[in-house]
Every structure is written in C-alpha cells, then in structure tokens.
Amino acid sequence: MSLSELLTVDGLELLDSLPPYNPANVMALSEQLQREGYAPGLVAEALTQSRLRERAADKFGPFAQRMVFTKDGLEQATRLSVGAFHAQRFLETGATHVIDFGAGLGADSMAFAGLGLRVTAIEMDDVAAAAATHNLRPFPEVEVIHADGFSVDLAALDADAIWIDPARRLNGRRLKNPADWMPSLHDAVALARHFPAAGIKVGPGIDYAQLPEDALVEWISAGGDLVEAVIWLGSCAPEPGRHALAVGATSGAARWDSGVSDPRLPATQVIPDALGLVIYEPDPAIIRSGSIATLCEKYGISPVADGIAYLTGNEIIDSPFLTNFTVATTLPLEPKPIRRALRELGVGRVEIKKRGTDLDPEKFRKKLKLDPKLPGEMTLIATPTISGKHRAILCERA
C-alpha cells in the first residue's frame, strides 16, 4: 500500500470531505466518488483511512481526524494520554532531545513534542515514514528521517535520550518472540545503553526472565485496559524494579511499586483466605507487574484462591488500582441455582467476569434465561475459591 497519491492536496481534500465512517454506506459512497471522477485506487485508500481514523479516535481523540494510519501502525501506536507520561519521565531526567527510533506513525513523537522535547523521528518503512511525516507536520520540534535507524549516525544527532518501539507485528500478526521483533529486544537494549536516558516499549506479556536486571519496568493500563509495558534504562531507571501505572479514562494517573529490586524476580505468592464481604478486582497493570503481594500487604486483603487475581476482604477500599464489588451471595457454578437466585433478587441484567475457569460467559448467560423486564443489575464472578471448588459470586459494584 502507498500513501503517495493520498498525501497530495487533492487526496487530502477528498479524505477530509468524507462523512463519518459508516460501513453500511461504503459501497454506495465508493461508487458515487468514482462517478465524480476519482480514481478507484484513491477512493479505496481514502475510505480505508476514514475507517482507520474512526478506530483511532480512542487513542488520539480529535487529533485522529487530521492523521493518516496503517493498520499495523495503529494497532501498535501509543495512546496520546500514555505518551504524555513517557515524555514526562524523560523531562524528569533533564533530557531535551529524544530520538524516536522506529517512530512508526509518529504517536510518541507527537507526545514528546507536545511537552516541549526536541525529537528526531526515525522510521525505515516507506508507508509508515510517509504517515509520520504527515502526522508530525504541525510540530516544528520534530525532524523525520526516513531510514534504517542502524544506518544513521545517531551520535551525530547529539541527542540525550532514546525511545525505541520495536515492530512487534508483521502482516497483522503479533510477534510473540522478542528475538523476532525489529529490532530484537537484545539489540534494542544494547542500543539504549548508548544514551543517558532510554525507554523501550514492549508487549505487556513479556516474560520477567527477559528483562534487564538494572531496568525499571512499568506496566501501563489506560481506562482499565492493559496497553503496554516499558523498559526504562539509564537515568529513567533511578532504581531497578517493576511498577504499575494506571492512567485514568479521562485524566490523572497513579503508580504502584511491586517491591522488587530486580525486575526478573518472580511475583510473590500470597496465601488465600475465605471470601469476605467484598471482592476486589485489581487493575491489570497490578497483576502483570507482580504487585498483588504488596497491594494485599498494604490493605490487609487476600486472594480468593491460589494463583487467582481476585482479592477479598471486608471493607470498601478507595484505590485507583482496585474495583470493589460487595458480595450478595455465593452459589455453585451451575445455571439452575443462579437463575433462581437472580429471579428472586429481581435481576434482569448480569455482567459476567471469570478467572481460573473455562466458563464461556456468553454461552453461560444464555443458560441463565435472564428476564430483561426485571430492573436489577448484578455482576457474576466465576472463580475458584479457597475450598478448591468453582463458585459463582453474585455481587454489586460498590
């Protein structure tokens, strides 16, 4: 795919003139535009970009409507709300000039420049580099270089920080092995060590054993969704360890220290306890950063079963890292008793959550034969408990 024809005055005017994307209208709109004289290839690309802009709104907000994307690039691109925290960490080290190595569509460069950092964005892929050049045009603090970053004399750029976002997708397929990333995790870490401050964006499922022992590794959630992890090195990692960062859906963020001095150490297991009056769902960044133990220690709570990331206690806890559910009743994980209890409670809508069970929520929901006329709402949490048996915990969000 090439963006060259779209990234012209006429192509961008066509793209910007399109109505909000509606898949039901795509065929008719395509035929109409071709009747008006637009080339079929240009129409197809404009409609593709319109669809990607619609999807990009969650990550980029109103900025998405002036940007261009690739499918893989959008999947991997950093949300602007998260990129601002990357930029802030660089600023706290005193960095002024960041190399964005493997800049992709330019998402992190936008965040860096938006907070006043000078940026050199390097991208080797032809289409992504063209997209980044367009997306970063409003930021005079950014220079885009279309090249293989390993062929560039990085030292001559006189930067005091580097951000590396290895390509972790190929033809829409996620590359799970860090050795297959471009650059590989090994090469990315080696490159990062040449700079006073460095960050490497990685997938949140990365194995602790693959982390550098002197890194501060941060797992980041946004609006309750786990979105990425970052390996911080140099002055960006004043102390090695693992952190969780929860970025709010609208604004604000909170950090949590897992309490380890070596990011490679396994998570500490916590002895489970009997179900209390409240069940807590930890933020996914807490779970992946191995922070359950320190969270339980601080608040005096426990897992409901060995290796299960539902926690329990008897008090509502005000924490950005915990969602509280008050327990109404506990039942066997079987449709008939649950169906009876829901009807007695006047519940017609049920949110189903699960851990440690192969239950299929949608298939199980059908078996409950919910009556939509009943006004009540509850959450059903399917999980093993300390007894070793699987249970359905009916509860309400606190």
Side-chain angles (χ1 to χ4, degrees):
M1 180 184 70
S2 173
L3 291 176
S4 58
E5 189 175 357
L6 185 70
L7 294 178
T8 62
V9 172
D10 290 343
L12 290 172
E13 284 183 355
L14 170 61
L15 176 58
D16 292 339
S17 72
L18 296 179
Y21 185 78
N22 182 345
N25 298 336
V26 166
M27 186 65 69
L29 182 57
S30 174
E31 293 172 353
Q32 174 190 327
L33 293 171
Q34 291 182 56
R35 286 196 300 270
E36 293 175 4
Y38 291 102
L42 178 60
V43 170
E45 184 56 41
L47 290 171
T48 295
Q49 288 298 321
S50 179
R51 175 173 56 84
L52 292 174
R53 282 181 170 183
E54 185 75 16
R55 290 176 52 196
D58 286 344
K59 287 189 173 185
F60 296 97
F63 289 99
Q65 293 308 307
R66 56 151 301 276
M67 299 173 67
V68 294
F69 304 95
T70 65
K71 183 178 182 297
D72 283 353
L74 178 56
E75 290 287 343
Q76 187 167 319
T78 300
R79 300 167 185 240
L80 283 184
S81 60
V82 172
F85 288 93
H86 300 161
Q88 188 61 42
R89 185 172 286 275
F90 281 127
L91 289 169
E92 289 170 356
T93 71
T96 59
H97 180 188
V98 181
I99 294 174
D100 187 355
F101 189 99
L105 305 176
D108 278 293
S109 291
M110 288 175 64
F112 298 154
L115 268 68
L117 288 161
R118 181 184 165 200
V119 184
T120 301
I122 304 175
E123 175 55 52
M124 67 180 296
D125 180 80
D126 294 348
V127 179
T133 299
H134 172 79
N135 295 339
L136 295 168
R137 192 164 289 135
F139 299 92
E141 306 90 344
V142 182
E143 176 189 5
V144 178
I145 297 176
H146 177 200
D148 179 345
F150 287 105
S151 71
V152 177
D153 184 355
L154 300 182
L157 298 175
D158 197 29
D160 50 12
I162 190 167
W163 173 259
I164 306 173
D165 187 356
R168 301 184 304 280
R169 286 180 175 273
L170 181 64
N171 299 324
R173 181 175 57 88
R174 183 177 285 110
L175 301 172
K176 296 182 179 180
N177 187 347
D180 296 331
W181 298 348
M182 296 168 282
S184 68
L185 179 58
H186 177 273
D187 290 345
V189 171
L191 176 60
R193 295 195 184 281
H194 290 284
F195 293 83
I200 305 170
K201 179 177 171 180
V202 298
I206 191 167
D207 191 323
Y208 294 167
Q210 297 172 321
L211 302 172
E213 63 179 315
D214 58 338
L216 171 59
V217 187
E218 193 164 56
W219 278 262
I220 304 175
S221 67
D225 295 327
L226 187 63
V227 294
E228 64 180 49
V230 180
I231 298 172
W232 296 108
L233 294 165
S235 57
C236 286
E239 293 182 352
R242 296 193 301 263
H243 282 185
L245 173 64
V247 179
T250 54
S251 62
R255 280 192 172 89
W256 188 274
D257 189 336
S258 72
V260 299
S261 58
D262 183 337
R264 302 171 301 172
L265 293 174
T268 301
Q269 299 301 305
V270 182
I271 297 174
D273 202 354
L275 186 67
L277 300 176
V278 183
I279 190 165
Y280 314 98
E281 183 177 35
D283 184 274
I286 288 287
I287 298 170
R288 277 301 304 139
S289 63
S291 298
I292 292 288
T294 52
L295 199 71
C296 287
E297 181 180 6
K298 177 176 175 61
Y299 292 114
I301 57 181
S302 306
V304 298
D306 281 321
I308 299 298
Y310 285 127
L311 313 177
T312 190
N314 292 310
E315 303 290 339
I316 299 297
I317 298 173
D318 183 12
S319 167
F321 298 107
L322 291 172
T323 300
N324 295 258
F325 299 86
T326 55
V327 176
T329 187
T330 302
L331 300 162
L333 191 55
E334 300 170 5
K336 188 174 180 179
I338 299 171
R339 183 166 59 242
R340 183 185 308 116
L342 291 172
R343 288 177 179 172
E344 290 174 355
L345 292 166
V347 173
R349 289 177 297 282
V350 174
E351 172 189 34
I352 300 178
K353 292 177 169 288
K354 67 163 192 171
R355 290 192 192 281
T357 173
D358 59 2
L359 175 143
D360 183 312
E362 292 313 309
K363 289 182 179 178
F364 196 78
R365 185 190 307 279
K366 292 178 181 178
K367 294 179 181 179
L368 296 179
K369 300 178 181 177
L370 297 168
D371 182 353
K373 295 178 182 178
L374 295 176
E377 297 183 28
M378 296 194 82
T379 298
L380 186 160
I381 294 178
T383 178
T385 60
I386 193 171
S387 68
K389 297 179 179 178
H390 289 221
R391 288 289 184 262
I393 305 170
L394 294 183
C395 48
E396 296 179 297
R397 287 179 176 265

